[in-house]
Amino acid sequence: MGRKLKFNIFRYNPQDPESEPHSDTFYLEETERMTLYIALTRIREEQDPSLTFDFCCRAGICGACAMVINGRPGLACKTLSKEQPDEITLMPLPVFKLVGDLSVDTGTWFRAMNEKVESWVHTDKKMDPTVHEERMDNALAEEIYELERCVECGCCVAACGTANMREDFVGAVALNRIARFIMDPRDERTDKEYFEIVGTDEGIFGCMGLLACEDVCPKDLPLQDQLGILRRQMGWSAIKHLFRMK
Ligand code: SF4
Ligand code: SF4
Ligand code: FES
């Protein structure tokens, strides 16, 4: 027989004026290879069909099932119950707008962030469908791909002290995105243009460098390295700007 697990789950429906934030307790017998996604699905099917949480891929790919698991942001579908104690407390991610219970609206936040840091390749080149694609050095393509693996789950934002205190902070996910475009030879933005986007307190200079973001990233993105590189690059841009160097 498996362990008897106790789940304390945050409940609140912001659409319902009668609803008050509270915690509900559920018990489940642990089964082999049980993930928190499986546990939540069972609780919903067997005990409370009104329980709200997000999921899509069940394989750590879509980023939808992120929540705070015993105080630490993570993906429910990638977290095995056997890695947790007998009592498991689940809360929605902070920073994002609450939809209900464990479901938050990460989409609106990520869209605003992508627009704010202009998260696309900036080039004046016109697309010519009759010519071959431009080749990119394989090693560089791999490096860019490494940073592209972000699934926009929001765990790094939820774990970030600055993002929790300041609504305007773009977060490690945006800084990682900019680092990816700086590497990309197709992006024609200048140092000054990048500086204007992230060389601010809302960007890299608002980051306290304590690296909770990297600790919780379920895709193991090298956020620490990218934040360090970006801080140096933007610091250098600031000096050049100060002395009017090119
Ligand atoms: S290192 Fe910066 S971005 Fe990462 S959690 Fe800390 S303040 Fe946030
Ligand atoms: S950087 Fe990692 S933690 Fe942050 S949104 Fe992307 S995958 Fe999630
Ligand atoms: S359901 Fe897609 S990452 Fe968990």
Side-chain angles (χ1 to χ4, degrees):
M1 211 166 111
R3 285 187 301 167
K4 186 178 181 190
L5 298 176
K6 179 180 180 187
F7 288 87
N8 305 313
I9 302 182
F10 176 84
R11 307 299 303 273
Y12 178 49
N13 176 2
Q15 313 297 327
D16 177 0
E18 307 281 289
S19 177
E20 292 282 345
H22 66 283
S23 170
D24 277 349
T25 302
F26 302 93
Y27 294 91
L28 263 193
E29 190 185 319
E30 188 174 38
T31 51
E32 218 186 319
R33 306 280 313 155
M34 180 192 254
T35 62
L36 296 189
Y37 160 74
I38 292 171
L40 284 167
T41 307
R42 273 189 53 199
I43 291 172
R44 186 157 67 183
E45 281 176 3
E46 298 166 14
Q47 303 185 41
D48 186 345
S50 71
L51 179 63
T52 307
F53 61 95
D54 295 318
F55 68 94
C56 186
C57 70
R58 296 168 293 165
I61 297 167
C62 72
C65 66
M67 58 189 65
V68 180
I69 303 161
N70 279 338
R72 186 183 170 87
L75 297 180
C77 73
K78 292 290 282 180
T79 304
L80 291 166
S81 59
K82 71 176 182 194
E83 296 163 353
Q84 302 296 322
D86 297 352
E87 186 164 346
I88 300 170
T89 299
L90 301 176
M91 301 282 292
L93 292 185
V95 181
F96 304 100
K97 185 175 171 215
L98 183 72
V99 175
D101 299 343
L102 300 174
S103 168
V104 293
D105 174 7
T106 49
T108 302
W109 191 96
F110 273 94
R111 187 181 176 102
M113 175 280 285
N114 279 311
E115 285 173 356
K116 190 167 181 175
V117 303
E118 301 184 16
S119 180
W120 54 87
V121 170
H122 288 50
T123 178
D124 289 331
K125 279 189 195 157
K126 293 274 173 286
M127 218 282 271
D128 180 353
T130 63
V131 299
H132 286 298
E133 288 172 4
E134 279 178 46
R135 281 198 64 81
M136 187 185 284
D137 175 63
N138 278 350
L140 178 60
E142 291 283 338
E143 268 185 72
I144 292 173
Y145 177 70
E146 174 71 359
L147 307 188
E148 279 282 350
R149 293 183 303 103
C150 170
V151 294
E152 297 198 345
C153 64
C155 288
C156 58
V157 180
C160 171
T162 310
N164 272 275
M165 287 185 293
R166 293 188 31 191
E167 251 181 51
D168 56 0
F169 183 57
V170 296
V173 62
L175 300 169
N176 174 68
R177 195 66 54 86
I178 284 299
R180 171 249 176 275
F181 286 109
I182 291 176
M183 268 184 210
D184 194 324
R186 297 167 300 177
D187 197 308
E188 292 162 357
R189 277 178 279 187
T190 61
D191 284 359
K192 186 165 174 282
E193 285 169 308
Y194 283 123
F195 183 79
E196 277 163 12
I197 294 174
V198 289
T200 61
D201 278 352
E202 295 172 19
I204 192 67
F205 298 125
C207 166
M208 297 186 286
L210 300 175
L211 300 172
C213 48
E214 176 160 317
D215 282 353
V216 299
C217 176
K219 306 307 281 185
D220 296 324
L221 261 76
L223 299 173
Q224 174 172 3
D225 293 349
Q226 296 316 315
L227 292 172
I229 293 167
L230 201 57
R231 190 174 287 109
R232 280 196 297 280
Q233 279 173 332
M234 292 303 128
W236 182 233
S237 290
I239 292 168
K240 285 204 282 191
H241 186 66
L242 211 60
F243 294 101
R244 307 279 189 273
M245 293 158 68
K246 290 231 163 169

